[in-house]
Amino acid sequence: MQVNISLSTFFENSNKTFASLINNRRIHKGNNIIDFPSNFCIVDLETTGFSPDFDKIIEIGALKYSNDVVIDTFQSLVHNEDTFLTQDIITLTGITEEMLKFAPSVKDVLPLFDNFLGDSIIVGYNTTFDVNFLYDNYLHYLNKPLTNDFIDCFRIAKKLYPEMQHHRLKDMIKVLRFDKGKLHRALNDCEATAFCFYKFKEKILSKYKLIEDFRFNFRKSWKAADIKGDVSKNNPDNPLYNKYCVFTGKLEKFIRKDAMKIVADLGGINQDNVNKDTNFLILGNNDYCTSIKGGKSTKHKKAEKYKQEGQDIEIISETVFYDMIADNFNV
């Protein structure tokens, strides 16, 4: 069907912005979150290809966790009309068209899976792919959207292992030394994903005090200039007063936003990056970050360059920073 309508007219008559149309095409789709709950459902699909618009689900696997223990399992091959498997898919999964002939239909499997899933948070690897397939099939066969929030281990892997070139499930299980079963069957992938999920949690808790700290640092949606101080706490006698300050590395006693709040309370000015106005660069512990070569971040190197050029900038350790604020804050 062709509709003759200009974009301007269309948007004048729509309550959605262009960005909303692009990003929220699947209305009421759950949120992609960063969390490590004790109750969740690991889900994996095998499909005939990469497009929910044209390809089909051929297997669904799921593991339901309660208090970090598997309490139920779901697995089913899925029969769709006119399903065609390429040789690549057959080789990858081991699933054949003959196997699918005797599988339950997608319209019979989805209600069972929906009942199994309930309102659980979905955990998976490259989960957006699986969720989009499920969402479209839910609409078509169940006449409702898939609204469950979901956690993508692929996103977490990229954050935790920035030095790795690839972060696919097969790459991570090799690094983390998981060897159980063949990948690219749904339940096997669920087990491998569960292994990675808990290894990621261990790694995060070894570097951050709380999962919340990792989540905060995962996607910094604020800017240093957004941190406002309490004017009544300003201290003109403090060396940070009216000085431009930048942090780099992980602090031992504070998450960065809290440390910036202390600077702002004292009357200092926070910056995201080192520039020719910067007066103090506060060094956190970079030992946790294997992507930093030579032990110096980009900010550190830039500050050294400015100092050599004669700029009024001091590079101080985290300990010195605590000494500077000790008279005003209990650290």
Side-chain angles (χ1 to χ4, degrees):
M1 178 177 67
Q2 183 176 356
V3 179
N4 295 318
I5 183 171
S6 69
L7 282 176
S8 59
T9 302
F10 174 77
F11 285 117
E12 285 174 4
N13 292 286
S14 173
N15 289 325
K16 296 180 179 179
T17 64
F18 182 73
S20 297
L21 290 172
I22 295 298
N23 297 323
N24 296 320
R25 182 171 67 87
R26 293 178 171 88
I27 306 301
H28 303 306
K29 176 181 167 182
N31 297 309
N32 192 345
I33 64 175
I34 301 296
D35 203 358
F36 289 85
S38 298
N39 303 320
F40 56 91
C41 191
I42 293 187
V43 177
D44 185 77
L45 307 181
E46 301 302 331
T47 66
T48 60
F50 299 106
S51 171
D53 295 324
F54 303 106
D55 293 304
K56 309 290 185 183
I57 296 172
I58 57 176
E59 186 178 30
I60 301 177
L63 299 174
K64 180 169 281 191
Y65 281 74
S66 177
N67 295 319
D68 294 315
V69 176
V70 177
I71 60 170
D72 207 351
T73 302
F74 185 95
Q75 188 277 329
S76 180
L77 292 171
V78 180
H79 173 74
N80 284 276
E81 294 296 332
D82 303 321
T83 297
F84 172 74
L85 301 181
T86 65
Q87 187 56 50
D88 286 343
I89 294 296
I90 294 172
T91 301
L92 186 68
T93 65
I95 298 171
T96 65
E97 291 182 1
E98 188 67 22
M99 293 166 63
L100 296 181
K101 284 182 181 178
F102 302 99
S105 68
V106 62
K107 66 179 181 181
D108 291 329
V109 173
L110 278 181
L112 297 175
F113 174 73
D114 180 50
N115 184 63
F116 175 89
L117 179 65
D119 60 359
S120 296
I121 293 174
I122 295 171
V123 174
Y125 216 95
N126 199 13
T127 325
T128 301
F129 173 88
D130 300 278
V131 166
N132 287 346
F133 263 92
L134 286 170
Y135 182 100
D136 291 359
N137 279 268
Y138 264 48
L139 278 185
H140 185 74
Y141 294 104
L142 302 182
N143 197 33
K144 68 175 185 177
L146 176 72
T147 59
N148 302 56
D149 288 344
F150 55 98
I151 299 166
D152 190 347
C153 290
F154 177 72
R155 293 176 67 210
I156 298 171
K158 290 178 68 177
K159 184 69 173 180
L160 288 179
Y161 298 87
E163 73 281 4
M164 290 179 59
Q165 183 177 3
H166 300 292
H167 299 83
R168 297 163 296 189
L169 182 58
K170 69 178 184 179
D171 301 309
M172 293 314 308
I173 62 173
K174 184 177 180 180
V175 169
L176 299 175
R177 299 181 180 178
F178 173 84
D179 184 17
K180 183 180 178 183
K182 177 182 181 295
L183 290 183
H184 300 300
R185 286 302 300 268
L187 268 186
N188 291 339
D189 283 3
C190 285
E191 291 174 352
T193 298
F195 178 82
C196 291
F197 184 65
Y198 281 107
K199 285 294 184 181
F200 292 166
K201 183 177 181 179
E202 288 178 16
K203 187 176 179 70
I204 288 168
L205 291 178
S206 71
K207 296 179 178 180
Y208 296 83
K209 295 178 181 178
L210 301 167
I211 297 297
E212 178 62 31
D213 292 347
F214 173 73
R215 187 187 300 115
F216 174 81
N217 284 281
F218 188 89
R219 178 175 289 176
K220 188 165 78 76
S221 58
W222 49 270
K223 294 182 178 181
D226 297 331
I227 308 299
K228 306 300 181 184
D230 183 345
V231 178
S232 67
K233 296 180 181 178
N234 282 188
N235 182 1
D237 294 326
N238 190 278
L240 298 177
Y241 180 78
N242 209 28
K243 298 295 183 181
Y244 289 87
C245 302
V246 176
F247 289 88
T248 185
K250 178 178 178 291
L251 300 176
E252 295 297 326
K253 294 186 178 181
F254 296 100
I255 62 173
R256 188 174 296 182
K257 193 173 185 179
D258 289 344
M260 286 182 167
K261 180 64 165 59
I262 290 174
V263 169
D265 282 347
L266 289 171
I269 305 153
N270 289 293
Q271 297 175 297
D272 287 307
N273 297 296
V274 173
N275 59 33
K276 292 186 177 181
D277 292 324
T278 307
N279 301 114
F280 288 102
L281 175 66
I282 299 102
L283 303 179
N285 178 14
N286 283 327
D287 292 343
Y288 77 101
C289 187
T290 57
S291 65
I292 294 179
K293 297 180 180 179
K296 294 181 180 180
S297 67
T298 301
K299 293 177 183 178
H300 192 167
K301 294 173 183 176
K302 196 171 183 179
E304 286 184 336
K305 178 177 178 292
Y306 282 136
K307 189 172 182 63
Q308 290 171 0
E309 294 173 353
Q311 180 172 323
D312 179 20
I313 181 171
E314 296 296 330
I315 302 169
I316 64 174
S317 69
E318 180 178 349
T319 302
V320 172
F321 170 70
Y322 293 144
D323 289 341
M324 293 169 73
I325 66 175
D327 289 341
N328 299 87
F329 295 90
N330 183 23
V331 294

